[in-house]
Amino acid sequence: MGDERGKSSPAMPRTRARDRPGEDMSSAAAPLDAVPAQGGYEPAWTWAGLQERLAPLLQDLVDACGGTSPVSACMVYAWLPDIGELRGVAGLVKDFAGPPLYAHLWCRVLADEQLPVTEALRDGTVVAIENPVLSAARYPHHNQSTWSGVNGACMAVPIAGPIGGPAAPGAEPAGVLGLAFRDAMRFDPRLIARVRAFAELLGEELARAGEIPRAEPFFSAPEAGSGAPAAASAPGPVPVPAAPAAPPVPAGPPARPAVDAQATLDALDAAGTGIFDWDLGTGVIALDARLSRMLGEDDPYVGPIEPVLCSLHPEDYPGLRLHLAEAFAADGPFSSGHRLRTPGGYRWVEVRGSVMGGADGGPRRLRGVVSDVTEASDLRLSLARQAEEVEALVIVIDDEWRLVYCNAPSETLFRRPRAEILGRPLHALLPEARSHGWGRHLFAALQERRVQSFTLHVPDDDRWFRVSAYPRRDQMLLFCLDITDERERDARLREAAQVAAAQQARIQLLTAALAESLTVHEVVRAARRLPAVCGADGLAVGLIQDGRLRVVGHAGYPPRAASAYPVWELDDDAPFVEAVRRRSAFAITSREEYMRRYPHLGELAGAAGKQAWVFLPLVASGEVVGTAVLSYNRQREFDADDYRLFGQLRALLARALHRARRYDDEHAMSAGLQRGLLPGRPARIAGLTVATRYIPATVGMQVGGDWHDVISLPGGRVGLVIGDVQGHGVDAAAIMGMLRTAVLAYAVEGHEPAEVVRRTNALTAGLGTDLFATCAYVEFDPGTGRAVVVRAGHQHPAVLGRAGVRLVDVPGGLPLGIDTDARYPATELALERGDVLVLCTDGLVESRGLSLDEGVAWMLETLEHGRGMTPDGLAGHLIARRTGELGDDIALLLARYDGIAE
């Protein structure tokens, strides 16, 4: 693992302490080499025993990576998989990384915490966070208490392992290398490659080092004149300043200082409470005799903080860091509960103290007391008998996650007998528990001193458990209830709710489609959504017409079956009409039942290929409108919920068909009325080719007030009329019929065009109606091409001739029906052979979003494009090119002057 790996690294670091590979730096990494040596770094930890061994390599790493932004902290963590902990073994910190206490507090990290180093460990990849914004988003629970005063980038790189030997394929990492930078920065790929190369060298050193000590033993008290205690496992002395055996007690009032101090110490001793004094600047802590005895030391301890921190349970570290960060930020009191390792095992202690600030305003010292608050009873003894009698799983684990008790039902969770379970770590028995955050919930229960509840999924047999964690001293009770059946029931309920929601959405779509449908044809087309609502495979809809039941639409049927019986008599022995007679829904659940009840319809049932049917009478306003048949390709039974749904659907369809049938009847009546009011095809007139169009804009009755007419006059002359009565509906149509008749009568009597229009105006004014009308009347002589035009408030006529298309400016009078005494001037117009005279109502040239001037311009352009067409083709061309919403009726009359042959 040594020299060959180092030589293959993409950007190998230089080293100073011993001969290592990597002196030849790659040219790609050259810009990173021009970094001055970075000084002023202090050891991050003093207890691990590897600090001096790795310090030269770490200093090289700091020098190589500090070009863009100085490195504020460089940490090496070893991975202890049996307890799921990353333990700091070496590191360097800079003064701008904040008080040294932060380095001390981060020497132990649980693997399931959300941090860059744990993420790099779990995923086996480099984790690079370039700025504090990304850090806060990625690790919201740790961002504020990670490093004081550091607002830069950070990086975590896994270190290959294991410790004490070569790395096996697929083995877990030996640890993690963590780097923190003072400033935000973008990570150059060459920098990442260089850090990975250093991580490989660190892995080699850890492999040579052997086993990492589980906990550093306490130092002996310094002898007189000694500057520091000696670490039992450290390669050399650790320089720490000397301190008194116990912190000095502040002086009280002058009258009784010694008496008060001694009384306080006696009271603390009687209560089993010890005193500590922690210098946050140097990392040195002083414990009095009582607290030192609690930790198994005969003499008062004064020395580095790390051994004291290692006496805490690793799960208590995150809570301790959080509470201390809050106390330092507020510069106030501190209180927290933790488990402390003692010669007799872990004990619960309560730590209370106060932060005292220094001259620079930052925290300088933390002084306080530690009290033993461990409960007296043993959780295993108090619950063992009751736990064996319950069906739930009862498990007790110790502070190292080992099972110390489990009841008989617990064997089903771990799939092995209890003899093989007890004493084994929880994460080894249930590997999936770690990946689902089991440890985080248990840790929260310990830190918050309250019950935590969560769910656990065991994927091997797809079972779910509701777990309640009860913390007790150095043990924890887990109460696991199998909720697999409950979750399956909930899943079925959720699925049913989703199906119901989807069905309701389909019903809403069907309702909207039926509401928008006007005709029977549109209703039947919209009803094709109905099978999807109720899971059917086919639909047939029958409508009662002229005493018969006629099939008006179907879906999901082959053509042969659909066309076999288009009409049924109401007394036929068939289920389709039986629903009409019964006026209630019924079902046939199998083809055998169908054949038994209707043997003469066996060929029809066979051609359709269906296996179950539901027949629904369609009743609206007390009248049977028709029948709907839902069919299924498989046999099926129907329950009360099905019939409630069928009742809702048939009511929707019945109302829509009833309304549509009434609309169709009214439409047929209005179409007949309109045909009666308007002239038929124009008669053939010598020398003139005429084409007409009428397009109604309204729905429902479809009766409007626009009209056109071609009148044969004496002497071979012809009268051309276009008119528009204000409004729509029956009233407008009635006025239109009278005006058309009046113009026809006055013209045939032989009146001049102006007189025809004047008399029609007088008649309209005398009708006593609020409606008025516009009109254009043209008297044309096919023999000479002479035309006389009279306009009453109507559109100007247009002429399409050889020279182009033009709008003829014809002076006019008021619309008909406004002023009885109105006069209407006549304008003569001469047409040449081939000219086309165009008369239209404003529905052609006006619409929503299109002004009159724009519409007229469009019409003239369209006429030009249609040059050469016959009048009938040109009329169709105008109507086809018309776009936008039709807001008014359109009446159109085109007359081409052909001349009379000699």
Side-chain angles (χ1 to χ4, degrees):
M1 179 178 177
D3 295 345
E4 286 127 1
R5 181 193 296 183
K7 291 177 182 178
S8 65
S9 300
M12 189 58 54
R14 54 184 169 81
T15 59
R16 293 182 285 188
R18 54 176 59 88
D19 186 18
R20 292 191 179 93
E23 293 296 334
D24 183 19
M25 308 302 295
S26 65
S27 61
L32 297 175
D33 291 334
V35 178
Q38 306 290 320
Y41 286 89
E42 300 293 337
W45 299 301
T46 59
W47 62 269
L50 285 174
Q51 178 67 34
E52 288 206 359
R53 182 181 190 128
L54 299 181
L57 185 59
L58 296 178
Q59 185 63 51
D60 284 349
L61 173 60
V62 168
D63 294 342
C65 298
T68 303
S69 173
V71 176
S72 58
C74 173
M75 307 294 193
V76 178
Y77 291 90
W79 169 232
L80 305 179
D82 55 339
I83 60 174
E85 176 183 315
L86 281 171
R87 177 158 298 179
V89 295
L92 295 176
V93 294
K94 190 74 170 175
D95 51 3
F96 50 72
L101 70 98
Y102 283 97
H104 306 316
L105 294 178
W106 284 95
C107 66
R108 303 176 74 180
V109 177
L110 285 180
D112 59 359
E113 289 193 62
Q114 293 301 311
L115 294 168
V117 291
T118 56
E119 185 176 343
L121 175 73
R122 290 191 296 264
D123 299 341
T125 59
V126 176
V127 177
I129 310 297
E130 297 182 339
N131 56 66
V133 175
L134 295 177
S135 176
R138 198 162 178 174
Y139 312 104
H141 299 296
H142 294 274
N143 183 62
Q144 296 301 323
S145 59
T146 302
W147 295 98
S148 173
V150 177
N151 295 310
C154 63
M155 182 190 306
V157 181
I159 300 174
I163 298 174
E172 289 184 312
V176 178
L177 168 63
L179 288 173
F181 296 85
R182 184 188 64 185
D183 308 309
M185 58 184 291
R186 294 188 63 84
F187 286 114
D188 191 298
R190 295 171 298 172
L191 175 61
I192 296 177
R194 171 159 292 185
V195 176
R196 292 175 67 96
F198 273 104
E200 292 185 11
L201 290 181
L202 290 170
E204 295 174 8
E205 290 296 333
L206 291 177
R208 298 188 188 102
E211 183 178 359
I212 299 297
R214 303 299 298 233
E216 190 75 19
F218 272 85
F219 305 142
S220 299
E223 298 182 5
S226 172
S233 61
V238 179
V240 295
V249 178
R256 299 183 302 170
V259 175
D260 290 347
Q262 187 59 46
T264 301
L265 294 175
D266 292 343
L268 292 175
D269 191 27
T273 300
I275 303 174
F276 68 90
D277 185 349
W278 182 9
D279 188 323
L280 303 178
T282 63
V284 174
I285 190 169
L287 310 181
D288 71 348
R290 290 165 292 279
L291 186 52
S292 298
R293 286 195 300 271
M294 189 183 302
L295 295 173
E297 292 294 316
D298 296 332
D299 299 320
Y301 171 73
V302 179
I305 185 64
E306 285 84 5
V308 179
L309 295 178
C310 287
S311 298
L312 295 177
H313 196 284
E315 293 175 2
D316 295 352
Y317 267 73
L320 176 64
R321 291 196 297 264
L322 179 62
H323 292 154
L324 283 175
E326 293 174 349
F328 295 145
D331 199 16
F334 165 78
S335 178
S336 182
H338 303 287
R339 288 166 291 179
L340 189 67
R341 186 190 297 275
T342 67
Y346 277 109
R347 306 286 292 176
W348 276 104
V349 297
E350 183 181 15
V351 184
R352 290 174 294 172
S354 180
V355 178
M356 293 184 292
D360 58 354
R364 183 177 62 86
R365 309 186 75 86
L366 177 63
R367 291 176 174 174
V369 297
V370 179
S371 304
D372 190 334
V373 293
T374 307
E375 297 176 1
S377 60
D378 190 336
L379 180 64
R380 291 173 295 176
L381 297 179
S382 62
L383 296 178
R385 179 175 300 176
Q386 294 87 341
E388 293 296 331
E389 299 176 357
V390 300
E391 296 182 359
L393 283 60
V394 179
I395 302 169
V396 179
I397 59 176
D398 65 6
D399 54 353
E400 296 288 346
W401 307 105
R402 292 186 297 264
L403 269 72
V404 296
Y405 172 79
C406 64
N407 64 348
S410 301
E411 297 178 348
T412 62
L413 172 63
F414 301 110
R415 299 178 293 280
R416 63 191 74 184
R418 274 194 285 185
E420 301 178 11
I421 298 174
L422 296 177
R424 300 192 61 184
L426 183 62
H427 63 265
L429 295 170
L430 284 178
E432 59 271 14
R434 180 192 294 177
S435 63
H436 286 76
W438 173 299
R440 286 192 297 276
H441 293 290
L442 299 186
F443 170 74
L446 292 174
Q447 289 300 304
E448 299 177 14
R449 302 281 188 90
R450 62 182 178 86
V451 178
Q452 291 284 327
S453 296
F454 53 94
T455 58
L456 174 67
H457 181 223
V458 182
D460 288 347
D461 47 9
D462 195 24
R463 286 186 301 160
W464 289 85
F465 293 88
R466 181 182 294 114
V467 182
S468 297
Y470 299 85
R472 293 292 188 276
R473 303 190 328 270
D474 56 352
Q475 297 172 341
M476 183 177 296
L477 168 66
L478 305 180
F479 190 82
C480 309
L481 185 64
D482 192 328
I483 58 171
T484 304
D485 294 340
E486 177 183 337
R487 287 185 66 92
E488 291 177 351
R489 182 175 64 255
D490 292 343
R492 289 193 297 269
L493 292 176
R494 286 194 300 271
E495 182 179 359
Q498 292 173 354
V499 171
Q503 186 180 74
Q504 190 62 35
R506 295 190 187 99
I507 291 176
Q508 292 175 356
L509 291 175
L510 173 64
T511 303
L514 292 174
E516 295 173 357
S517 301
L518 295 176
T519 66
V520 170
H521 174 73
E522 292 174 347
V523 169
V524 173
R525 184 173 58 188
R528 292 176 181 173
R529 299 172 180 263
L530 197 147
V533 175
C534 50
D537 302 296
L539 168 72
V541 179
L543 193 64
I544 296 179
Q545 296 175 339
D546 301 327
R548 294 181 175 183
L549 186 64
R550 186 180 302 275
V551 177
V552 294
H554 58 82
Y557 282 91
R560 178 185 173 188
S563 59
Y565 293 88
V567 180
W568 299 82
E569 300 293 338
L570 294 183
D571 56 356
D572 285 342
D573 184 17
F576 206 58
V577 294
E578 184 177 340
V580 176
R581 294 194 297 267
R582 294 173 56 169
R583 296 174 70 97
S584 62
F586 66 95
I588 299 178
T589 59
S590 66
R591 184 176 295 185
E592 291 74 15
E593 181 184 354
Y594 192 102
M595 295 298 296
R596 185 173 61 254
R597 296 175 61 173
Y598 308 100
H600 57 288
L601 298 178
E603 181 180 356
L604 177 61
K610 306 301 181 183
Q611 299 291 336
W613 299 262
V614 177
F615 299 92
L616 306 173
L618 304 177
V619 182
S621 300
E623 175 187 0
V624 181
V625 179
T627 303
V629 181
L630 293 168
S631 55
Y632 298 80
N633 293 337
R634 64 195 183 283
Q635 294 186 9
R636 178 175 171 180
E637 298 291 336
F638 302 96
D639 56 21
D641 291 336
D642 293 323
Y643 279 103
R644 278 193 292 269
L645 176 61
F646 296 149
Q648 182 180 1
L649 296 177
R650 71 170 183 161
L652 288 173
L653 185 55
R655 287 194 295 268
L657 278 176
H658 185 264
R659 184 185 67 250
R661 189 172 65 175
R662 186 172 64 245
Y663 172 85
D664 285 348
D665 292 342
E666 292 175 351
H667 173 66
M669 180 182 68
S670 64
L673 175 61
Q674 194 76 49
R675 286 194 298 271
L677 293 174
L678 292 174
R681 293 181 60 87
R684 292 184 178 275
I685 300 174
L688 201 64
T689 301
V690 179
T692 60
R693 291 288 191 276
Y694 175 79
I695 307 297
T698 56
V699 296
M701 291 294 291
Q702 286 197 331
V703 178
D706 292 21
W707 87 95
H708 55 74
D709 207 351
V710 180
I711 306 170
S712 296
L713 301 175
R717 293 174 295 113
V718 62
L720 306 176
V721 187
I722 194 82
D724 182 3
V725 177
Q726 175 198 15
H728 302 92
V730 176
D731 292 340
I735 298 296
M736 179 267 288
M738 288 186 286
L739 295 182
R740 175 175 174 259
T741 303
V743 173
L744 174 62
Y746 295 140
V748 172
E749 286 180 356
H751 296 288
E752 292 295 326
E755 184 63 18
V756 170
V757 175
R758 189 192 67 78
R759 288 173 178 261
T760 304
N761 172 62
L763 174 64
T764 307
L767 292 176
T769 177
D770 293 333
L771 299 179
F772 62 88
T774 64
C775 176
Y777 176 69
V778 180
E779 185 179 284
F780 185 71
D781 185 352
T784 63
R786 176 180 174 273
V788 179
V789 183
V790 179
R791 191 172 63 85
H794 201 78
Q795 296 291 328
H796 294 275
V799 175
L800 175 62
R802 295 178 182 177
V805 61
R806 68 185 190 278
L807 196 67
V808 180
D809 186 11
V810 177
L814 294 173
L816 304 177
I818 294 180
D819 183 3
T820 306
D821 299 326
R823 294 294 183 265
Y824 300 92
T827 301
E828 289 192 7
L829 182 65
L831 300 181
E832 298 180 0
R833 291 178 183 268
D835 287 354
V836 179
L837 179 66
V838 180
L839 302 175
C840 69
T841 58
D842 55 5
L844 180 67
V845 294
E846 275 191 302
S847 65
R848 182 177 300 175
L850 185 68
S851 67
L852 178 60
D853 292 340
E854 293 171 338
V856 170
W858 166 85
M859 181 186 70
L860 298 178
E861 181 181 359
T862 305
L863 288 171
E864 185 64 40
H865 288 164
R867 178 181 297 278
M869 294 182 179
T870 64
D872 191 69
L874 188 57
H877 178 64
L878 282 168
I879 298 300
R881 294 287 298 274
R882 173 67 163 75
T883 60
E885 181 181 350
L886 193 61
D888 198 359
D889 302 343
I890 296 177
L892 182 62
L893 189 154
L894 288 82
R896 186 182 65 196
Y897 172 46
D898 298 327
I900 300 177
E902 296 290 339

